C-alpha cells in the first residue's frame, strides 16, 4: 500500500484490525470514508451489547468526519496610532498580557475585531505582531506580582538566536528600539520587553564609558535651541 493519503482503492485493502485512530493517522477524508462500508474496516466485537456497538459506529464515523472540518482560528486587527492595520492571530495575541486581559470574558474574544493602539505606530505594531507570531506556541506569560520589600535579582536568561537577529542593531536602530521597548512595556509582551532590554545592554551599554553613553543617548541640541 502506498504511503501518505489513502485513496478509495486502498480502503478496501485495510486489515480488519485497523481502527479509527489508524485512519486518522493516514488522513482519510470524508469523501473517501463515504465509499466504504464501515463494518469492513472497524473491528467491532460488541455482539453482546448492541447499544455499545451502535455507539462505537457513531463515534468512529464522527472521528472521520471531524478530520475534514476546517479549524477556524480567531484573528484580530490592531489599528496603530498612524491608522495602519496589523493582523494578529488569537494564539499570538496571548503573548500580550494587556491585549489578552482586554478581550478575556468579552464578545471580543471570538476574534474578527479591531483593537486600537493609540500609543503604537504602524511600524512598531508590525514588529510586535511578527515577534508574537513567532512565539505564539511559547508558554503564556502571567502578570507580574508586585510585593513590598527587596526582591532577589532575576535569574539570568539566554536570548534565542532568532531573537538576537530580530533585535540586532543592524536591523533595529536606537529610535526604533526605543519605540519597540516602550510598546512592549505598554502591551506587556513580557519576553519581548526582556529581550529588548538585554539587547540594549549588549549593543549599546556594555563596556562603554559614561561620556560615550551620554554622546549616544542624550538629545543633541540644535543651534536654534541653544539660542
Amino acid at each position: 500500500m502506498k504511503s501518505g493519503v489513502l485513496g478509495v482503492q486502498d480502503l478496501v485493502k485495510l486489515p480488519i484490525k485497523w481502527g479509527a485512530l489508524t485512519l486518522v493517522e493516514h488522513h482519510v477524508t470524508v469523501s473517501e470514508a463515504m465509499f466504504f462500508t464501515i463494518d469492513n474496516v472497524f473491528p467491532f466485537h460488541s455482539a453482546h451489547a448492541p447499544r455499545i456497538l451502535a455507539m462505537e459506529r457513531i463515534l468512529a464515523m464522527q472521528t472521520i468526519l471531524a478530520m475534514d472540518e476546517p479549524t477556524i482560528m480567531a484573528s484580530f486587527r490592531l489599528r496603530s496610532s498612524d491608522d495602519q492595520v496589523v493582523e494578529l492571530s488569537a494564539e499570538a495575541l496571548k503573548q500580550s498580557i494587556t491585549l489578552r486581559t482586554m478581550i478575556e470574558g468579552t464578545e471580543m474574544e471570538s476574534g474578527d475585531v479591531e483593537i486600537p493602539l493609540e500609543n503604537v505606530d504602524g511600524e512598531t505594531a508590525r514588529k510586535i505582531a511578527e515577534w508574537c507570531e513567532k512565539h505564539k506556541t511559547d508558554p503564556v506569560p502571567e502578570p507580574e506580582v508586585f510585593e513590598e520589600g527587596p526582591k532577589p535579582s532575576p535569574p539570568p536568561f539566554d536570548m534565542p538566536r532568532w531573537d538576537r537577529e530580530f533585535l540586532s542593531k543592524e536591523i533595529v536602530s536606537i529610535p526604533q528600539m526605543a519605540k519597540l521597548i516602550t510598546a512592549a512595556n505598554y502591551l506587556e509582551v513580557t519576553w519581548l520587553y526582556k529581550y529588548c532590554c538585554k539587547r540594549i545592554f549588549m549593543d549599546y551599554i556594555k563596556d562603554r564609558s559614561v561620556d560615550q553613553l551620554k554622546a549616544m543617548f542624550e538629545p543633541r541640541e540644535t543651534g536654534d535651541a541653544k539660542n
Side-chain angles (χ1 to χ4, degrees), residues 36-103:
F36 68 92
T37 305
I38 201 167
D39 291 337
N40 293 330
V41 177
F42 295 100
F44 299 119
H45 304 293
S46 305
H48 301 293
R51 292 186 179 181
I52 296 178
L53 174 59
M55 182 59 67
E56 286 178 346
R57 292 179 177 176
I58 292 172
L59 292 176
M61 204 61 204
Q62 287 177 340
T63 300
I64 297 174
L65 292 173
M67 290 171 1
D68 266 10
E69 292 180 358
T71 302
I72 301 175
M73 299 297 293
S75 62
F76 298 85
R77 299 182 301 278
L78 308 179
R79 183 169 292 278
S80 66
S81 58
D82 52 353
D83 209 32
Q84 298 185 43
V85 176
V86 179
E87 294 284 340
L88 186 66
S89 67
E91 288 299 310
L93 179 138
K94 293 178 182 179
Q95 289 299 316
S96 167
I97 297 174
T98 299
L99 296 180
R100 190 175 79 234
T101 304
M102 181 188 302
I103 69 170

Side-chain angles (χ1 to χ4, degrees), residues 94-123:
K94 293 178 182 179
Q95 289 299 316
S96 167
I97 297 174
T98 299
L99 296 180
R100 190 175 79 234
T101 304
M102 181 188 302
I103 69 170
E104 280 182 346
T106 70
E107 294 180 354
M108 298 172 65
E109 198 168 10
S110 60
D112 195 29
V113 295
E114 189 171 286
I115 302 175
L117 301 180
E118 297 179 356
N119 301 318
V120 183
D121 64 22
E123 180 185 24

Side-chain angles (χ1 to χ4, degrees), residues 122-158:
E123 180 185 24
T124 306
R126 284 192 297 274
K127 195 77 174 173
I128 287 179
E130 182 181 355
W131 188 92
C132 289
E133 293 291 353
K134 175 66 178 180
H135 291 272
K136 64 184 178 182
T137 57
D138 291 359
V140 176
E142 296 298 332
E144 184 177 356
V145 178
F146 294 96
E147 298 179 354
E148 294 184 0
K151 295 192 302 182
S153 300
F157 60 88
D158 294 325

